[in-house]
Amino acid sequence: MEWLKSVRKLDGQLLEAMGVKAVEHPGLGRAVAFPYQREGKAYAAKFRTAEKHFRSTEGVSRGFYNSDDLNVLHDLPIVITEGEIDCLSVMQAGFERAVSLPDGWTEDGGKRDVLVQAEDLLRKSPYVIVAGDNDDAGKSLPREVSKLLRGHDVRFAEWPEGCKDANDVLVKFGEGALATCLNGAKRIDPPGGMITGLSDLPPLADRRVLRVSEAPFDRVVALELGAMSVWTGVPGSGKSTFLTWAAERVSVEENIRVGVMAFETHPHDIRDQLSLIRTGREYAALDDKTRASLNKSVDERFRFVHVTLDAEGQQHLKWLDDMIHTLAVRDGCKLIIVDPWNELEHLPEPGESMTQYVNFATKFIRQVAERLDIHIAVVAHPRKMPTDKGDRVPTGYDIADSAAFYNKPSLGVTVHQRERADEETGEIDRWVELNVWKVRKTRLYRFTKGKVTCHFTPDSMGYTRRTSQ
């Protein structure tokens, strides 16, 4: 307690009012306890030593520290911090409605559930100030809060040079300097945009590209976060099958979760494909232990949108936006597959042509991907191909209603099947051709437009390099 007051400069009366006290912890020895309260009653605690050794009450799921303040003083802003000491520092600087994530923030969004559960209460504030740590994880927190509270005023605090967090500012410069930092917090997305220098831009996500990490598929699959791709091919070409295989590989290689909206594919078909990919066996043939293990691993990596056959429900653009937002924010999906575009309910405004509508809709989806820092892969069927042009491979220009399917995506790929009979033996050689017809950022993706051929193996529902040409 003396360390908190003399070294961390926290007020003794505030500590007493918040129930902070010294304890003898069985695992840490002499430590300080920060009680977590709900409706004024402690239900858990966080323990720490001056040397930054931590423990928490076991078997209890903790929400925000100081969460009771979310239910009062609704005319005041809410400040979100990454630690109990930072939360107390903010309160000492005059911001009464301060809370803390129970165990800080990680770049993969490990404490997302706490934010999601408190969304309604956070929205009751005039605005939210994110006062995270000055590190890579802390810099990603304001953007994540903004995604959750879309449409709400979300701001981010910046710390003076040499300060890592709110308590650092309190210790080095005092309560007035900390209050100045919080009062000067900037909006993440100011209405109408902003004109600024490079160093004054709000926190932006790094340009991350999801890959299969296997040749030759890294010359085809480059799924940039904050962008959309379009996948097409004639009916029966296997575009959905390839994209499911690629998504499974990407989920493992990049440690991400995938959201799937498959309107023409039964969820059990996707499950069966994942079973063959992961175990080499049909799902129905798995023993109970293997099946349970597969189900658990698929649940960890995938989320499926189950479309109910409700006459009142329409899968239109607003519905799609809501589903993508839920998949990205609540479930943490970084790759979301919309398969196919043609099955959505498309509702142009009165007087709006289908071409104008598709132009707007594809631009909107691209903006959603950018706002949520995810990749949206759209599967779209081409219109009926002319029969007088031979075995022509369709591109984005062949998708019905608009050239936007070619112009808007960052990546465009056609999955196409080929076969050839050996002139001597008559044996049929079949292969899959992956035609990349659009690459927006060749330097970032590390490839240009071109063609990759591969073999599909039904027994494993997977793809391998094709050596023969």
Side-chain angles (χ1 to χ4, degrees), residues 367-379:
Q367 291 173 336
V368 169
E370 184 174 0
R371 173 168 53 83
L372 296 175
D373 189 34
I374 59 174
H375 186 90
I376 302 175
V378 177
V379 177

Side-chain angles (χ1 to χ4, degrees), residues 99-154:
V99 295
S100 170
L101 292 164
D103 295 299
W105 181 254
T106 57
E107 286 189 81
D108 63 358
K111 292 298 174 183
R112 179 179 286 101
D113 288 350
V114 176
L115 293 168
V116 172
Q117 291 165 8
E119 178 182 356
D120 291 343
L121 292 173
L122 293 172
R123 285 187 177 277
K124 291 181 179 179
S125 65
Y127 57 93
V128 173
I129 301 173
V130 182
D133 292 352
N134 188 23
D135 55 21
D136 288 340
K139 290 176 182 177
S140 71
L141 179 57
R143 179 60 61 184
E144 292 301 316
V145 175
S146 178
K147 292 177 191 175
L148 172 69
L149 302 178
R150 60 175 174 172
H152 196 67
D153 185 348
V154 177

Side-chain angles (χ1 to χ4, degrees), residues 32-37 42-47 55-58 60 62 84:
V32 65
F34 298 91
Y36 277 65
Q37 299 185 13
Y43 68 93
K46 175 86 166 284
F47 307 92
R55 294 287 191 280
S56 300
T57 304
E58 295 182 0
V60 178
R62 289 171 294 134
E84 296 83 5

Side-chain angles (χ1 to χ4, degrees), residues 308-411:
T308 59
L309 303 178
D310 185 349
E312 296 181 1
Q314 284 188 314
Q315 286 74 55
H316 44 59
L317 201 59
K318 176 63 169 64
W319 174 89
L320 181 67
D321 182 29
D322 290 341
M323 290 298 104
I324 290 174
H325 186 267
T326 300
L327 287 168
V329 174
R330 188 196 70 185
D331 294 293
C333 296
K334 283 295 185 182
L335 168 60
I336 295 176
I337 298 171
V338 180
D339 182 10
W341 167 266
N342 312 66
E343 282 293 305
L344 289 167
E345 299 284 345
H346 300 297
L347 306 172
E349 295 291 329
E352 182 182 30
S353 70
M354 185 57 72
T355 298
Q356 291 171 323
Y357 166 79
V358 172
N359 212 33
F360 164 79
T362 51
K363 177 182 176 181
F364 177 76
I365 293 172
R366 187 181 68 187
Q367 291 173 336
V368 169
E370 184 174 0
R371 173 168 53 83
L372 296 175
D373 189 34
I374 59 174
H375 186 90
I376 302 175
V378 177
V379 177
H381 299 318
R383 58 178 174 264
K384 189 174 182 180
M385 301 287 290
T387 58
D388 58 350
K389 294 187 178 181
D391 190 20
R392 186 171 71 83
V393 177
T395 71
Y397 285 128
D398 295 299
I399 299 172
D401 300 319
S402 175
F405 288 106
Y406 189 97
N407 298 327
K408 291 296 191 295
S410 62
L411 176 72

Side-chain angles (χ1 to χ4, degrees), residues 87-106:
C87 179
L88 294 168
S89 300
V90 167
M91 296 174 70
Q92 191 167 314
F95 287 75
E96 298 180 49
R97 301 184 76 200
V99 295
S100 170
L101 292 164
D103 295 299
W105 181 254
T106 57

